[in-house]
Amino acid sequence: MDIETTTSPAPAADFVLKLQGVCAGYGASRVLHELTLDLRESETLVVMGRNGVGKTTLVETIMGLTQHHAGQILLRGKPVERLQAHERNRAGIAWVPQQREVFPSLTVEENLLVVAREGEWNLERVYGLFPRLRERRDNYGDQLSGGEQQMLALGRALMTNPQVLLLDEPVEGLAPLVVQEMLTAIDRMRGAGRMSILLVEQKYEQALAHSERCVVIDHGSVVHEGASRDMLADHALIERLLGLSH
């Protein structure tokens, strides 16, 4: 399927993550079909699409949690598609799943320290990003609200000091004030360091406003790519690709 773009081809860039012709799914069932995309240095790329088109499968494929059938996944030019999930994490890919999956029997601080690696993201910096976690540092994971668990899941991913951060619908089901806090945190992460973010999000207006580039997936393939600001301004394009009106 041809990929449409709303801008002229971008100049050469440093690609932190690149997928080339990736086919993947669950068992013999393929969900992604010849999918190709790239994530550039220090950018936030938002992945959008209707329900059931392969967005979460894409994230899980990058993380190594699906059946890989074909294509390459390159992290700074090195293939990682044959690595196990924990090996990809050690190589520099971190994932915040929709289910959060914090450790319920560990305190907030223990959740953060148990995965800590050397780098710019440390305990104090995570607490600076999410002051509420500092306040709840001695509470156990199962004593937190949904919003606090999401902050902890994101903070825990940052403590691994990743090169690539995968966020799968990080504001889904959260109260409006917590949504804004999470989006502010994502903006602060974008403005600091060299980490690149791949953001899957259904709330398209918020996602486009907090990213540099976007891709739209349909039937397991990329059908559109371009600048987020251009797509945010093109309501007809949003309606056609996502079935959503402004």
Side-chain angles (χ1 to χ4, degrees), residues 8 32 39 50 55 81 106 139 145 173 175 195 205 241 245:
S8 57
L32 304 183
L39 179 64
R50 297 179 175 90
K55 302 186 299 297
E81 66 272 3
L106 299 182
N139 289 90
S145 68
M195 182 175 64
E205 287 183 314
L241 292 176
S245 57

Side-chain angles (χ1 to χ4, degrees), residues 10-59:
D14 292 327
F15 299 125
V16 178
L17 183 71
K18 180 182 279 289
L19 279 68
Q20 297 179 319
V22 169
C23 299
Y26 304 95
S29 176
R30 297 192 181 194
V31 179
L32 304 183
H33 305 279
E34 298 290 333
L35 188 144
T36 295
L37 62 75
D38 55 69
L39 179 64
R40 301 169 186 170
E41 188 83 57
S42 304
E43 81 164 346
T44 297
L45 174 70
V46 60
V47 177
M48 300 183 297
R50 297 179 175 90
N51 289 332
V53 298
K55 302 186 299 297
T56 292
T57 302
L58 167 63
V59 173

Side-chain angles (χ1 to χ4, degrees), residues 44 180 182-192 197 209-211:
T44 297
Q180 189 54 53
M182 291 295 297
L183 293 173
T184 298
I186 291 171
D187 277 345
R188 289 177 63 185
M189 289 188 295
R190 289 167 64 203
I197 301 172
H210 294 270
S211 61

Side-chain angles (χ1 to χ4, degrees), residues 47-203:
V47 177
M48 300 183 297
R50 297 179 175 90
N51 289 332
V53 298
K55 302 186 299 297
T56 292
T57 302
L58 167 63
V59 173
E60 292 181 348
T61 295
I62 295 170
M63 201 66 236
L65 300 173
T66 64
Q67 179 67 46
H68 183 88
H69 294 286
Q72 275 197 313
I73 302 173
L74 304 171
L75 180 64
R76 294 199 180 279
K78 297 181 179 179
V80 298
E81 66 272 3
R82 296 186 182 277
L83 299 183
Q84 298 297 313
H86 68 277
E87 295 172 319
R88 299 188 197 196
N89 179 253
R90 287 180 190 150
I93 304 175
W95 172 48
V96 180
Q98 288 177 300
Q99 296 81 12
R100 299 158 190 156
E101 297 180 4
V102 302
F103 300 121
S105 60
L106 299 182
T107 67
V108 166
E109 193 150 305
E110 289 168 341
N111 263 277
L112 295 172
L113 291 177
V114 74
V115 299
R117 296 197 187 105
E118 290 292 327
E120 59 183 353
W121 284 100
N122 54 32
L123 197 60
E124 287 306 307
R125 191 169 181 192
V126 169
Y127 283 155
L129 187 66
F130 296 118
R132 199 177 313 184
L133 293 183
R134 186 193 299 274
E135 297 169 4
R136 305 295 301 272
R137 64 198 301 170
D138 294 324
N139 289 90
Y140 290 98
D142 60 2
Q143 296 175 322
L144 306 179
S145 68
E148 290 166 344
Q149 287 187 0
Q150 187 68 300
M151 293 175 196
L152 179 55
L154 181 50
R156 187 178 60 184
L158 292 174
M159 289 290 286
T160 68
N161 278 284
Q163 300 177 56
V164 173
L165 179 62
L166 309 175
L167 300 178
D168 193 356
E169 299 196 33
V171 300
E172 179 66 25
L174 301 182
L177 286 176
V178 181
V179 168
Q180 189 54 53
E181 190 170 352
M182 291 295 297
L183 293 173
T184 298
I186 291 171
D187 277 345
R188 289 177 63 185
M189 289 188 295
R190 289 167 64 203
R194 299 174 59 196
M195 182 175 64
S196 303
I197 301 172
L198 188 147
L199 169 64
V200 173
E201 187 50 66
Q202 288 285 80
K203 297 178 174 61

